[in-house]
Each structure stands twice: as structure tokens, then as C-alpha cells.
Amino acid sequence: MNRKIHWHMMSWQEIRNAQKENPVILIPAGTVETQGPYTYTGLECVVPQRLAEEAARQTNALVTPTIPFGYSALFQDFPGTISLRPEVVSAVYEDVVRSIVRHGFDHLLFLAMHIPNQPMMEHVAHKVRDELGVLIAWINPGRLAADILKEISPDYDAARGHGADPGLSLAKFLEPDMIDLSQVVPNDFGKEFLGLPIPVGSMSPSYREFPLNMPLRMQDISPESGGAGDPAHATAEQGEAMFSAMVAHVTGLVKEVAEMDTRV
């Protein structure tokens, strides 16, 4: 019988015994939101879950069930988006961490997709440090994928965008039957908002080449497709190359975290 890696598929006795080896606990966290016309809404759940599973198989880590929902106000006008309030996201993260630490585990690594979730993650990490004396760590696999994409994409600037790459190539590789690009057209993404330019790769306008933060919605800047970038550049081969590099990165990180003294 292969070693169990899924927390929710283990009995409480098995989890108690696993704690003696003090494994890293991988917590995939994502969101459910529009990803343009071609990518399934749960991409940012699928990527961290598959990444955590592959890393756990190559290490001594365990994987919790994926936290599926996040704060997705930017995309809430498009059907399919499920957005939680920021305080709810923070509360879910905190309660998950407290439950795991309560059972004696103190090496926790979140694979937390979705940039708007990052402030809640940071808030909870500081609270857990102050109140439980445990350091938790997190990375955003989406940012990792974007960095890797720069090395392999023939036209990074054209391909990059919400609803295009790196997500679409990863989506094609991880769930190929869920993607149909037979009639693909570029996303029609706005270049300005209220007379201010929107830089390439940004979701916010700028003033004199400096970012200006405003509560924009995707409906304001990409009402037709809900995406950005040219999906035609996405390929399953690029997705496989990105995912392989991501697994190697996370596997190495898990081994590093396992050796850390996370008690403060």
C-alpha cells in the first residue's frame, strides 16, 4: 500500500501517528472565478492541489483538502465567480491553521493562488506567530508560473494575462478535456480607464507612469471576455514544462521547510 498523502483520507489514528514524524503540511488554497472564455473557473484550485500532491509524493509531506474560495471582487460581475468577504477568507485560513497546530503539527506551507488573497494570508501568519508562536509560510504558485513562463514563452508580453498564460497552458496540461481552443480569439482588454492608461500586464491604471490603485472590476476593462492576453499562445506542452519546474521548486522548498525551526 502506498503512503497516504491526503489528510482527509487518513483516519485520526493515522494522523496522530504521522505527527510523530513532524511532516510539512501542505495547504492548497485558491479561488473560483472567471478566467476568460476558455479556462475553467476552478483553475486556481486545481493548480495548487495538483502541485501539493506531486510535492507530497516526493517528500514526507501531507496535503489538506483545498480551500476553494477566496476574495474575488474584481471578477464578481461574471457568472461562475464565488467570492468570500476578506474577513471570511482570513477566518477560514486562521481556523484551518489553528486546527492543524492544535494536533501538534508546526510545519505548515500554504500554496495560495490568487493575489487578492495574499493580504489575508499575511494577516493570519502574523496573528498565528503572535498567539501560537508558530511561523507558517506561503507562496503563490501563480507568480511562480509567471516567472517560469518568461523563460519558455516565445512571446511573453502577448501571451501573459488573466484568461491567457500562464494559466491557460497549465489548464490545458492539467485538464485537457476541459479546454476548447478551436475558436479562440484574443481577449479585448482595455488600454485606458477614465482617461488614464492601463499598462500591459496591469489591472490598474497609472498616472505619470506610477500605479494608481482604484476599485476596478474586470467588467470595467474587459467586459466582453473577462480576460486579458492572447489565448492563442497557450499550449499543453508549455503547461507541462511549467508544471514540472513548479513541482521541482515546491519539492525543494518542502525539504527546506522541514528542516526549519518554526517555533518562536
Side-chain angles (χ1 to χ4, degrees), residues 190-199 204-208 212 214:
K191 295 180 174 58
E192 63 88 27
F193 181 74
L194 298 180
L196 296 174
I198 300 177
S204 298
S206 66
Y207 174 69
R208 294 183 178 177
L212 174 65
M214 300 178 74

Side-chain angles (χ1 to χ4, degrees), residues 57-81:
R57 291 188 181 102
Q58 298 182 39
T59 64
N60 196 36
L62 299 178
V63 181
T64 72
T66 300
I67 301 173
F69 305 123
Y71 177 54
S72 295
L74 180 65
F75 308 100
Q76 65 187 19
D77 294 322
F78 287 85
T81 299

Side-chain angles (χ1 to χ4, degrees), residues 40-255:
Y40 38 86
T41 58
L43 171 71
E44 294 190 11
C45 297
V46 172
V47 171
Q49 178 178 323
R50 299 288 182 84
L51 192 54
E53 289 170 343
E54 289 301 318
R57 291 188 181 102
Q58 298 182 39
T59 64
N60 196 36
L62 299 178
V63 181
T64 72
T66 300
I67 301 173
F69 305 123
Y71 177 54
S72 295
L74 180 65
F75 308 100
Q76 65 187 19
D77 294 322
F78 287 85
T81 299
I82 299 176
S83 181
L84 302 184
R85 288 165 289 160
E87 60 270 25
V88 175
V89 177
S90 291
V92 170
Y93 288 173
E94 180 180 346
D95 285 354
V96 168
V97 170
R98 287 185 180 276
S99 295
I100 294 170
V101 173
R102 180 182 180 87
H103 301 306
F105 299 90
D106 56 11
H107 287 68
L108 281 65
L109 175 61
F110 274 79
L111 304 183
M113 293 281 280
H114 195 54
I115 293 173
N117 288 344
Q118 301 303 303
M120 286 75 85
M121 187 75 259
E122 184 174 2
H123 166 72
V124 169
H126 281 286
K127 188 174 184 181
V128 167
R129 174 180 177 144
D130 290 341
E131 297 181 10
L132 301 182
V134 174
L135 292 173
I136 63 176
W138 69 98
I139 65 167
N140 182 346
R143 297 289 294 270
L144 177 60
D147 284 349
I148 297 168
L149 179 66
K150 290 179 182 179
E151 305 299 322
I152 64 174
S153 175
D155 192 345
Y156 176 81
D157 289 338
R160 178 84 167 94
H162 189 89
D165 269 340
L168 187 51
S169 285
L170 286 168
K172 287 193 71 176
F173 169 63
L174 294 172
E175 290 289 346
D177 293 339
M178 298 295 107
I179 301 293
D180 179 8
L181 296 181
S182 59
Q183 305 295 324
V184 66
V185 296
N187 289 300
D188 184 16
F189 191 78
K191 295 180 174 58
E192 63 88 27
F193 181 74
L194 298 180
L196 296 174
I198 300 177
V200 174
S202 175
M203 302 290 283
S204 298
S206 66
Y207 174 69
R208 294 183 178 177
E209 299 183 356
F210 190 80
L212 174 65
N213 296 308
M214 300 178 74
L216 267 63
R217 303 278 171 83
M218 185 62 84
Q219 187 71 23
D220 298 325
I221 45 184
S222 185
E224 296 300 320
S225 72
D230 187 350
H233 292 273
T235 68
E237 291 74 22
Q238 286 186 144
E240 183 175 13
M242 276 189 288
F243 189 72
S244 177
M246 293 165 73
V247 170
H249 181 96
V250 173
T251 299
L253 179 59
V254 168
K255 294 175 181 178

